[in-house]
mmCIF file of all heavy atoms in Angstrom:
data_model
loop_
_atom_site.group_PDB
_atom_site.id
_atom_site.type_symbol
_atom_site.label_atom_id
_atom_site.label_comp_id
_atom_site.label_asym_id
_atom_site.label_seq_id
_atom_site.Cartn_x
_atom_site.Cartn_y
_atom_site.Cartn_z
ATOM 1 N N MET P 977 -1.969 -11.231 -5.580
ATOM 2 C CA MET P 977 -2.848 -10.684 -6.613
ATOM 3 C C MET P 977 -2.045 -10.054 -7.751
ATOM 4 O O MET P 977 -2.417 -10.175 -8.926
ATOM 5 C CB MET P 977 -3.790 -9.640 -6.001
ATOM 6 C CG MET P 977 -4.801 -10.213 -5.024
ATOM 7 S SD MET P 977 -5.766 -8.910 -4.181
ATOM 8 C CE MET P 977 -6.676 -8.234 -5.570
ATOM 9 N N PHE P 978 -0.944 -9.400 -7.401
ATOM 10 C CA PHE P 978 -0.111 -8.758 -8.415
ATOM 11 C C PHE P 978 0.507 -9.795 -9.351
ATOM 12 O O PHE P 978 0.499 -9.630 -10.581
ATOM 13 C CB PHE P 978 0.989 -7.943 -7.737
ATOM 14 C CG PHE P 978 1.919 -7.257 -8.694
ATOM 15 C CD1 PHE P 978 1.541 -6.089 -9.330
ATOM 16 C CD2 PHE P 978 3.174 -7.785 -8.964
ATOM 17 C CE1 PHE P 978 2.396 -5.454 -10.219
ATOM 18 C CE2 PHE P 978 4.035 -7.164 -9.851
ATOM 19 C CZ PHE P 978 3.645 -5.987 -10.480
ATOM 20 N N ILE P 979 1.033 -10.867 -8.777
ATOM 21 C CA ILE P 979 1.635 -11.923 -9.590
ATOM 22 C C ILE P 979 0.582 -12.582 -10.480
ATOM 23 O O ILE P 979 0.814 -12.840 -11.668
ATOM 24 C CB ILE P 979 2.310 -12.976 -8.686
ATOM 25 C CG1 ILE P 979 3.496 -12.345 -7.936
ATOM 26 C CG2 ILE P 979 2.780 -14.171 -9.507
ATOM 27 C CD1 ILE P 979 4.143 -13.258 -6.929
ATOM 28 N N ALA P 980 -0.590 -12.851 -9.903
ATOM 29 C CA ALA P 980 -1.667 -13.464 -10.684
ATOM 30 C C ALA P 980 -2.101 -12.542 -11.826
ATOM 31 O O ALA P 980 -2.370 -12.994 -12.947
ATOM 32 C CB ALA P 980 -2.854 -13.769 -9.771
ATOM 33 N N ASN P 981 -2.131 -11.240 -11.558
ATOM 34 C CA ASN P 981 -2.564 -10.284 -12.579
ATOM 35 C C ASN P 981 -1.570 -10.171 -13.724
ATOM 36 O O ASN P 981 -1.954 -9.901 -14.868
ATOM 37 C CB ASN P 981 -2.770 -8.910 -11.933
ATOM 38 C CG ASN P 981 -3.377 -7.909 -12.892
ATOM 39 O OD1 ASN P 981 -4.432 -8.136 -13.473
ATOM 40 N ND2 ASN P 981 -2.707 -6.786 -13.079
ATOM 41 N N LEU P 982 -0.278 -10.390 -13.431
ATOM 42 C CA LEU P 982 0.733 -10.346 -14.483
ATOM 43 C C LEU P 982 0.481 -11.394 -15.553
ATOM 44 O O LEU P 982 0.736 -11.177 -16.742
ATOM 45 C CB LEU P 982 2.126 -10.543 -13.884
ATOM 46 C CG LEU P 982 2.737 -9.367 -13.109
ATOM 47 C CD1 LEU P 982 4.088 -9.767 -12.534
ATOM 48 C CD2 LEU P 982 2.891 -8.146 -14.023
ATOM 49 N N PHE P 983 -0.027 -12.551 -15.139
ATOM 50 C CA PHE P 983 -0.228 -13.655 -16.074
ATOM 51 C C PHE P 983 -1.663 -13.759 -16.590
ATOM 52 O O PHE P 983 -1.887 -14.169 -17.734
ATOM 53 C CB PHE P 983 0.167 -14.972 -15.405
ATOM 54 C CG PHE P 983 1.614 -15.051 -15.019
ATOM 55 C CD1 PHE P 983 2.024 -14.800 -13.716
ATOM 56 C CD2 PHE P 983 2.585 -15.336 -15.965
ATOM 57 C CE1 PHE P 983 3.356 -14.861 -13.352
ATOM 58 C CE2 PHE P 983 3.925 -15.404 -15.612
ATOM 59 C CZ PHE P 983 4.322 -15.160 -14.303
ATOM 60 N N MET P 984 -2.638 -13.374 -15.762
ATOM 61 C CA MET P 984 -4.034 -13.606 -16.121
ATOM 62 C C MET P 984 -4.698 -12.398 -16.776
ATOM 63 O O MET P 984 -5.552 -12.542 -17.636
ATOM 64 C CB MET P 984 -4.820 -14.025 -14.873
ATOM 65 C CG MET P 984 -4.269 -15.267 -14.206
ATOM 66 S SD MET P 984 -5.105 -15.703 -12.662
ATOM 67 C CE MET P 984 -6.730 -16.153 -13.280
ATOM 68 N N GLN P 985 -4.335 -11.193 -16.337
ATOM 69 C CA GLN P 985 -4.876 -9.956 -16.918
ATOM 70 C C GLN P 985 -6.412 -9.952 -16.928
ATOM 71 O O GLN P 985 -7.044 -9.671 -17.940
ATOM 72 C CB GLN P 985 -4.345 -9.764 -18.342
ATOM 73 C CG GLN P 985 -2.849 -9.554 -18.431
ATOM 74 C CD GLN P 985 -2.418 -8.227 -17.804
ATOM 75 O OE1 GLN P 985 -3.064 -7.210 -18.007
ATOM 76 N NE2 GLN P 985 -1.334 -8.251 -17.061
ATOM 77 N N ILE P 986 -6.999 -10.271 -15.789
ATOM 78 C CA ILE P 986 -8.453 -10.256 -15.644
ATOM 79 C C ILE P 986 -8.881 -8.879 -15.151
ATOM 80 O O ILE P 986 -8.383 -8.416 -14.116
ATOM 81 C CB ILE P 986 -8.917 -11.345 -14.657
ATOM 82 C CG1 ILE P 986 -8.464 -12.731 -15.141
ATOM 83 C CG2 ILE P 986 -10.433 -11.308 -14.491
ATOM 84 C CD1 ILE P 986 -8.788 -13.836 -14.170
ATOM 85 N N PRO P 987 -9.801 -8.199 -15.848
ATOM 86 C CA PRO P 987 -10.220 -6.849 -15.429
ATOM 87 C C PRO P 987 -10.714 -6.785 -13.991
ATOM 88 O O PRO P 987 -10.387 -5.843 -13.259
ATOM 89 C CB PRO P 987 -11.347 -6.514 -16.422
ATOM 90 C CG PRO P 987 -11.012 -7.311 -17.640
ATOM 91 C CD PRO P 987 -10.423 -8.583 -17.126
ATOM 92 N N ALA P 988 -11.521 -7.760 -13.583
ATOM 93 C CA ALA P 988 -12.047 -7.747 -12.211
ATOM 94 C C ALA P 988 -10.913 -7.859 -11.198
ATOM 95 O O ALA P 988 -10.959 -7.240 -10.130
ATOM 96 C CB ALA P 988 -13.038 -8.899 -12.023
ATOM 97 N N LEU P 989 -9.882 -8.640 -11.531
ATOM 98 C CA LEU P 989 -8.734 -8.791 -10.638
ATOM 99 C C LEU P 989 -7.938 -7.496 -10.554
ATOM 100 O O LEU P 989 -7.440 -7.126 -9.485
ATOM 101 C CB LEU P 989 -7.842 -9.937 -11.121
ATOM 102 C CG LEU P 989 -6.608 -10.264 -10.265
ATOM 103 C CD1 LEU P 989 -7.013 -10.614 -8.834
ATOM 104 C CD2 LEU P 989 -5.818 -11.416 -10.896
ATOM 105 N N GLN P 990 -7.845 -6.791 -11.663
ATOM 106 C CA GLN P 990 -7.144 -5.513 -11.670
ATOM 107 C C GLN P 990 -7.861 -4.489 -10.791
ATOM 108 O O GLN P 990 -7.224 -3.723 -10.060
ATOM 109 C CB GLN P 990 -7.047 -4.993 -13.109
ATOM 110 C CG GLN P 990 -6.178 -5.854 -14.022
ATOM 111 C CD GLN P 990 -6.162 -5.358 -15.448
ATOM 112 O OE1 GLN P 990 -6.780 -4.349 -15.775
ATOM 113 N NE2 GLN P 990 -5.480 -6.070 -16.326
ATOM 114 N N LEU P 991 -9.181 -4.489 -10.836
ATOM 115 C CA LEU P 991 -9.953 -3.578 -9.988
ATOM 116 C C LEU P 991 -9.802 -3.948 -8.521
ATOM 117 O O LEU P 991 -9.671 -3.063 -7.657
ATOM 118 C CB LEU P 991 -11.425 -3.620 -10.390
ATOM 119 C CG LEU P 991 -11.775 -3.065 -11.770
ATOM 120 C CD1 LEU P 991 -13.268 -3.187 -12.026
ATOM 121 C CD2 LEU P 991 -11.332 -1.612 -11.895
ATOM 122 N N ALA P 992 -9.827 -5.248 -8.235
ATOM 123 C CA ALA P 992 -9.654 -5.696 -6.854
ATOM 124 C C ALA P 992 -8.271 -5.317 -6.336
ATOM 125 O O ALA P 992 -8.108 -4.930 -5.171
ATOM 126 C CB ALA P 992 -9.861 -7.204 -6.760
ATOM 127 N N LEU P 993 -7.271 -5.414 -7.203
ATOM 128 C CA LEU P 993 -5.901 -5.053 -6.820
ATOM 129 C C LEU P 993 -5.808 -3.553 -6.527
ATOM 130 O O LEU P 993 -5.142 -3.145 -5.569
ATOM 131 C CB LEU P 993 -4.939 -5.434 -7.949
ATOM 132 C CG LEU P 993 -3.444 -5.209 -7.679
ATOM 133 C CD1 LEU P 993 -2.983 -5.999 -6.460
ATOM 134 C CD2 LEU P 993 -2.621 -5.611 -8.904
ATOM 135 N N SER P 994 -6.480 -2.742 -7.330
ATOM 136 C CA SER P 994 -6.488 -1.295 -7.092
ATOM 137 C C SER P 994 -7.144 -0.972 -5.751
ATOM 138 O O SER P 994 -6.654 -0.135 -4.988
ATOM 139 C CB SER P 994 -7.223 -0.575 -8.223
ATOM 140 O OG SER P 994 -6.539 -0.721 -9.454
ATOM 141 N N GLY P 995 -8.259 -1.659 -5.464
ATOM 142 C CA GLY P 995 -8.926 -1.452 -4.187
ATOM 143 C C GLY P 995 -8.068 -1.868 -3.012
ATOM 144 O O GLY P 995 -8.020 -1.185 -1.978
ATOM 145 N N ALA P 996 -7.360 -2.986 -3.176
ATOM 146 C CA ALA P 996 -6.477 -3.469 -2.112
ATOM 147 C C ALA P 996 -5.325 -2.493 -1.873
ATOM 148 O O ALA P 996 -4.940 -2.232 -0.725
ATOM 149 C CB ALA P 996 -5.929 -4.853 -2.478
ATOM 150 N N PHE P 997 -4.782 -1.932 -2.947
ATOM 151 C CA PHE P 997 -3.706 -0.952 -2.825
ATOM 152 C C PHE P 997 -4.181 0.293 -2.082
ATOM 153 O O PHE P 997 -3.451 0.864 -1.259
ATOM 154 C CB PHE P 997 -3.187 -0.554 -4.205
ATOM 155 C CG PHE P 997 -1.931 -1.281 -4.609
ATOM 156 C CD1 PHE P 997 -1.921 -2.122 -5.716
ATOM 157 C CD2 PHE P 997 -0.754 -1.133 -3.890
ATOM 158 C CE1 PHE P 997 -0.780 -2.797 -6.099
ATOM 159 C CE2 PHE P 997 0.403 -1.800 -4.258
ATOM 160 C CZ PHE P 997 0.389 -2.633 -5.373
ATOM 161 N N MET P 998 -5.413 0.719 -2.362
ATOM 162 C CA MET P 998 -5.939 1.902 -1.694
ATOM 163 C C MET P 998 -6.103 1.672 -0.195
ATOM 164 O O MET P 998 -5.745 2.527 0.621
ATOM 165 C CB MET P 998 -7.283 2.296 -2.315
ATOM 166 C CG MET P 998 -7.170 2.920 -3.689
ATOM 167 S SD MET P 998 -8.727 3.646 -4.272
ATOM 168 C CE MET P 998 -8.929 4.981 -3.096
ATOM 169 N N LEU P 999 -6.645 0.512 0.182
ATOM 170 C CA LEU P 999 -6.812 0.202 1.599
ATOM 171 C C LEU P 999 -5.460 0.080 2.295
ATOM 172 O O LEU P 999 -5.263 0.600 3.402
ATOM 173 C CB LEU P 999 -7.601 -1.104 1.753
ATOM 174 C CG LEU P 999 -9.077 -1.049 1.369
ATOM 175 C CD1 LEU P 999 -9.702 -2.439 1.455
ATOM 176 C CD2 LEU P 999 -9.837 -0.078 2.268
ATOM 177 N N PHE P 1000 -4.525 -0.602 1.654
ATOM 178 C CA PHE P 1000 -3.198 -0.794 2.230
ATOM 179 C C PHE P 1000 -2.484 0.542 2.412
ATOM 180 O O PHE P 1000 -1.898 0.817 3.462
ATOM 181 C CB PHE P 1000 -2.380 -1.713 1.321
ATOM 182 C CG PHE P 1000 -0.999 -2.025 1.840
ATOM 183 C CD1 PHE P 1000 -0.797 -3.074 2.719
ATOM 184 C CD2 PHE P 1000 0.097 -1.273 1.428
ATOM 185 C CE1 PHE P 1000 0.473 -3.371 3.200
ATOM 186 C CE2 PHE P 1000 1.361 -1.552 1.905
ATOM 187 C CZ PHE P 1000 1.552 -2.604 2.790
ATOM 188 N N SER P 1001 -2.547 1.387 1.392
ATOM 189 C CA SER P 1001 -1.864 2.686 1.446
ATOM 190 C C SER P 1001 -2.517 3.616 2.458
ATOM 191 O O SER P 1001 -1.832 4.388 3.130
ATOM 192 C CB SER P 1001 -1.863 3.331 0.055
ATOM 193 O OG SER P 1001 -1.178 2.520 -0.886
ATOM 194 N N SER P 1002 -3.838 3.552 2.584
ATOM 195 C CA SER P 1002 -4.536 4.364 3.579
ATOM 196 C C SER P 1002 -4.124 3.963 4.990
ATOM 197 O O SER P 1002 -3.887 4.821 5.857
ATOM 198 C CB SER P 1002 -6.053 4.209 3.418
ATOM 199 O OG SER P 1002 -6.482 4.707 2.158
ATOM 200 N N ALA P 1003 -4.015 2.659 5.217
ATOM 201 C CA ALA P 1003 -3.563 2.172 6.518
ATOM 202 C C ALA P 1003 -2.128 2.607 6.787
ATOM 203 O O ALA P 1003 -1.763 2.943 7.922
ATOM 204 C CB ALA P 1003 -3.680 0.646 6.582
ATOM 205 N N ALA P 1004 -1.299 2.622 5.742
ATOM 206 C CA ALA P 1004 0.100 3.042 5.889
ATOM 207 C C ALA P 1004 0.189 4.508 6.300
ATOM 208 O O ALA P 1004 1.045 4.883 7.115
ATOM 209 C CB ALA P 1004 0.855 2.808 4.584
ATOM 210 N N ILE P 1005 -0.682 5.354 5.749
ATOM 211 C CA ILE P 1005 -0.694 6.770 6.112
ATOM 212 C C ILE P 1005 -1.053 6.939 7.581
ATOM 213 O O ILE P 1005 -0.432 7.717 8.323
ATOM 214 C CB ILE P 1005 -1.673 7.556 5.219
ATOM 215 C CG1 ILE P 1005 -1.138 7.610 3.786
ATOM 216 C CG2 ILE P 1005 -1.882 8.973 5.759
ATOM 217 C CD1 ILE P 1005 -2.111 8.220 2.792
ATOM 218 N N LEU P 1006 -2.074 6.213 8.028
ATOM 219 C CA LEU P 1006 -2.478 6.282 9.432
ATOM 220 C C LEU P 1006 -1.357 5.800 10.346
ATOM 221 O O LEU P 1006 -1.043 6.442 11.362
ATOM 222 C CB LEU P 1006 -3.729 5.433 9.662
ATOM 223 C CG LEU P 1006 -5.054 5.985 9.126
ATOM 224 C CD1 LEU P 1006 -6.162 4.963 9.324
ATOM 225 C CD2 LEU P 1006 -5.413 7.293 9.818
ATOM 226 N N MET P 1007 -0.747 4.674 9.998
ATOM 227 C CA MET P 1007 0.317 4.115 10.833
ATOM 228 C C MET P 1007 1.519 5.039 10.904
ATOM 229 O O MET P 1007 2.083 5.268 11.978
ATOM 230 C CB MET P 1007 0.747 2.739 10.305
ATOM 231 C CG MET P 1007 -0.137 1.587 10.733
ATOM 232 S SD MET P 1007 0.617 -0.012 10.358
ATOM 233 C CE MET P 1007 2.092 0.049 11.384
ATOM 234 N N GLN P 1008 1.922 5.577 9.747
ATOM 235 C CA GLN P 1008 3.114 6.425 9.725
ATOM 236 C C GLN P 1008 2.895 7.729 10.477
ATOM 237 O O GLN P 1008 3.738 8.152 11.267
ATOM 238 C CB GLN P 1008 3.503 6.728 8.283
ATOM 239 C CG GLN P 1008 4.801 7.522 8.138
ATOM 240 C CD GLN P 1008 5.979 6.777 8.712
ATOM 241 O OE1 GLN P 1008 6.554 5.911 8.071
ATOM 242 N NE2 GLN P 1008 6.379 7.103 9.937
ATOM 243 N N THR P 1009 1.745 8.361 10.269
ATOM 244 C CA THR P 1009 1.445 9.605 10.971
ATOM 245 C C THR P 1009 1.318 9.363 12.470
ATOM 246 O O THR P 1009 1.821 10.138 13.294
ATOM 247 C CB THR P 1009 0.156 10.240 10.429
ATOM 248 O OG1 THR P 1009 0.240 10.371 9.003
ATOM 249 C CG2 THR P 1009 -0.062 11.622 11.038
ATOM 250 N N GLY P 1010 0.644 8.269 12.826
ATOM 251 C CA GLY P 1010 0.518 7.924 14.238
ATOM 252 C C GLY P 1010 1.863 7.636 14.878
ATOM 253 O O GLY P 1010 2.098 7.975 16.042
ATOM 254 N N ALA P 1011 2.762 7.002 14.119
ATOM 255 C CA ALA P 1011 4.093 6.692 14.645
ATOM 256 C C ALA P 1011 4.882 7.962 14.929
ATOM 257 O O ALA P 1011 5.615 8.049 15.919
ATOM 258 C CB ALA P 1011 4.851 5.813 13.650
ATOM 259 N N ILE P 1012 4.739 8.969 14.077
ATOM 260 C CA ILE P 1012 5.433 10.235 14.310
ATOM 261 C C ILE P 1012 4.898 10.911 15.573
ATOM 262 O O ILE P 1012 5.655 11.361 16.437
ATOM 263 C CB ILE P 1012 5.258 11.174 13.101
ATOM 264 C CG1 ILE P 1012 5.933 10.592 11.855
ATOM 265 C CG2 ILE P 1012 5.852 12.550 13.407
ATOM 266 C CD1 ILE P 1012 5.678 11.390 10.590
ATOM 267 N N ILE P 1013 3.577 10.978 15.676
ATOM 268 C CA ILE P 1013 2.949 11.665 16.804
ATOM 269 C C ILE P 1013 3.279 11.008 18.136
ATOM 270 O O ILE P 1013 3.499 11.680 19.144
ATOM 271 C CB ILE P 1013 1.419 11.712 16.604
ATOM 272 C CG1 ILE P 1013 1.081 12.555 15.370
ATOM 273 C CG2 ILE P 1013 0.721 12.277 17.847
ATOM 274 C CD1 ILE P 1013 -0.374 12.492 14.993
ATOM 275 N N ASN P 1014 3.328 9.679 18.129
ATOM 276 C CA ASN P 1014 3.541 8.942 19.387
ATOM 277 C C ASN P 1014 5.000 8.561 19.630
ATOM 278 O O ASN P 1014 5.290 7.755 20.504
ATOM 279 C CB ASN P 1014 2.665 7.683 19.398
ATOM 280 C CG ASN P 1014 1.190 8.016 19.468
ATOM 281 O OD1 ASN P 1014 0.666 8.370 20.514
ATOM 282 N ND2 ASN P 1014 0.493 7.902 18.336
ATOM 283 N N GLY P 1015 5.901 9.156 18.855
ATOM 284 C CA GLY P 1015 7.324 8.960 19.110
ATOM 285 C C GLY P 1015 7.939 7.715 18.534
ATOM 286 O O GLY P 1015 9.098 7.406 18.808
ATOM 287 N N GLY P 1016 7.187 6.987 17.717
ATOM 288 C CA GLY P 1016 7.735 5.763 17.141
ATOM 289 C C GLY P 1016 8.564 5.996 15.898
ATOM 290 O O GLY P 1016 9.258 5.089 15.430
ATOM 291 N N GLU P 1017 8.511 7.189 15.329
ATOM 292 C CA GLU P 1017 9.280 7.520 14.132
ATOM 293 C C GLU P 1017 9.951 8.869 14.324
ATOM 294 O O GLU P 1017 9.287 9.875 14.563
ATOM 295 C CB GLU P 1017 8.359 7.565 12.911
ATOM 296 C CG GLU P 1017 9.072 7.910 11.611
ATOM 297 C CD GLU P 1017 10.082 6.852 11.207
ATOM 298 O OE1 GLU P 1017 9.684 5.846 10.599
ATOM 299 O OE2 GLU P 1017 11.289 7.033 11.543
ATOM 300 N N ARG P 1018 11.266 8.872 14.249
ATOM 301 C CA ARG P 1018 12.024 10.107 14.406
ATOM 302 C C ARG P 1018 12.867 10.431 13.173
ATOM 303 O O ARG P 1018 13.604 11.400 13.160
ATOM 304 C CB ARG P 1018 12.939 10.008 15.643
ATOM 305 C CG ARG P 1018 12.173 10.133 16.965
ATOM 306 C CD ARG P 1018 11.621 11.524 17.115
ATOM 307 N NE ARG P 1018 10.863 11.715 18.359
ATOM 308 C CZ ARG P 1018 9.550 11.655 18.444
ATOM 309 N NH1 ARG P 1018 8.835 11.378 17.353
ATOM 310 N NH2 ARG P 1018 8.929 11.854 19.585
ATOM 311 N N ASN P 1019 12.745 9.599 12.141
ATOM 312 C CA ASN P 1019 13.493 9.838 10.908
ATOM 313 C C ASN P 1019 12.529 10.363 9.849
ATOM 314 O O ASN P 1019 11.701 9.620 9.328
ATOM 315 C CB ASN P 1019 14.165 8.542 10.439
ATOM 316 C CG ASN P 1019 15.163 8.777 9.313
ATOM 317 O OD1 ASN P 1019 14.815 9.337 8.286
ATOM 318 N ND2 ASN P 1019 16.397 8.350 9.515
ATOM 319 N N TYR P 1020 12.637 11.650 9.543
ATOM 320 C CA TYR P 1020 11.679 12.255 8.624
ATOM 321 C C TYR P 1020 11.885 11.790 7.184
ATOM 322 O O TYR P 1020 10.960 11.854 6.363
ATOM 323 C CB TYR P 1020 11.742 13.776 8.716
ATOM 324 C CG TYR P 1020 13.011 14.412 8.197
ATOM 325 C CD1 TYR P 1020 13.110 14.847 6.887
ATOM 326 C CD2 TYR P 1020 14.121 14.596 9.038
ATOM 327 C CE1 TYR P 1020 14.260 15.442 6.410
ATOM 328 C CE2 TYR P 1020 15.275 15.188 8.569
ATOM 329 C CZ TYR P 1020 15.347 15.612 7.259
ATOM 330 O OH TYR P 1020 16.498 16.192 6.789
ATOM 331 N N ILE P 1021 13.073 11.292 6.855
ATOM 332 C CA ILE P 1021 13.315 10.783 5.502
ATOM 333 C C ILE P 1021 12.506 9.508 5.273
ATOM 334 O O ILE P 1021 11.824 9.351 4.246
ATOM 335 C CB ILE P 1021 14.818 10.525 5.283
ATOM 336 C CG1 ILE P 1021 15.582 11.856 5.247
ATOM 337 C CG2 ILE P 1021 15.051 9.748 3.983
ATOM 338 C CD1 ILE P 1021 17.072 11.713 5.075
ATOM 339 N N LEU P 1022 12.564 8.584 6.235
ATOM 340 C CA LEU P 1022 11.799 7.346 6.115
ATOM 341 C C LEU P 1022 10.298 7.627 6.154
ATOM 342 O O LEU P 1022 9.522 6.990 5.430
ATOM 343 C CB LEU P 1022 12.185 6.383 7.240
ATOM 344 C CG LEU P 1022 13.628 5.884 7.237
ATOM 345 C CD1 LEU P 1022 13.865 4.928 8.401
ATOM 346 C CD2 LEU P 1022 13.942 5.183 5.911
#
């Protein structure tokens, strides 16, 4: 979607990309926090 948006610049695509980023980033927060709690992440910098 990002590559397509660079060339096409469609407003609806930009909104869809923003929504996709929000879902992806929200999942990343859950995964990272869960990894710390359950011992899967011990490097606080990463």
